[in-house]
Amino acid sequence: MSRLYGDPIEVWIRDGQPIQFVWRDRLYTVRRVLDHWVVAREWWKISDSDPGERRFWRAEAASGGQVGTYELRFDTAGEGWLLIRAWD
């Protein structure tokens, strides 16, 4: 079962992929990226130079011995990260 969140998170990346993130004051280490995709929409653009993209990663991550699957989103316009979904 999955749950939707949309919570802001802090993310560390390496080679263009998330390797760690902090969600609700807990550090998660990405064990592996399960999927990555990009969605571009014209109405997301805030300027002519903005590609209007949202980049998504579905990742297996662990915190304190607990492993879960998480969907992370990066907004190219605001350069902010959100935790969109988590699976039990």
Side-chain angles (χ1 to χ4, degrees), residues 11-82:
V11 178
W12 289 265
I13 59 169
R14 182 183 302 138
D15 299 326
Q17 294 195 92
I19 57 167
Q20 289 184 318
F21 61 93
V22 174
W23 177 46
R24 297 184 173 177
D25 297 323
R26 291 185 69 179
L27 177 65
Y28 292 80
T29 300
V30 175
R31 296 169 56 142
R32 64 186 176 124
V33 172
L34 304 171
D35 200 2
H36 173 257
W37 66 97
V38 177
V39 177
R41 299 284 188 258
E42 190 67 28
W43 65 83
W44 284 340
K45 289 185 168 193
I46 60 171
S47 70
D48 289 337
S49 62
D50 177 13
E53 291 180 351
R54 304 297 187 267
R55 298 177 186 168
F56 295 84
W57 284 264
R58 185 165 296 143
E60 179 181 273
S63 178
Q66 293 183 320
V67 179
T69 301
Y70 303 89
E71 190 170 291
L72 315 177
R73 185 185 90 185
F74 178 71
D75 178 351
T76 57
E79 297 189 1
W81 286 88
L82 297 175

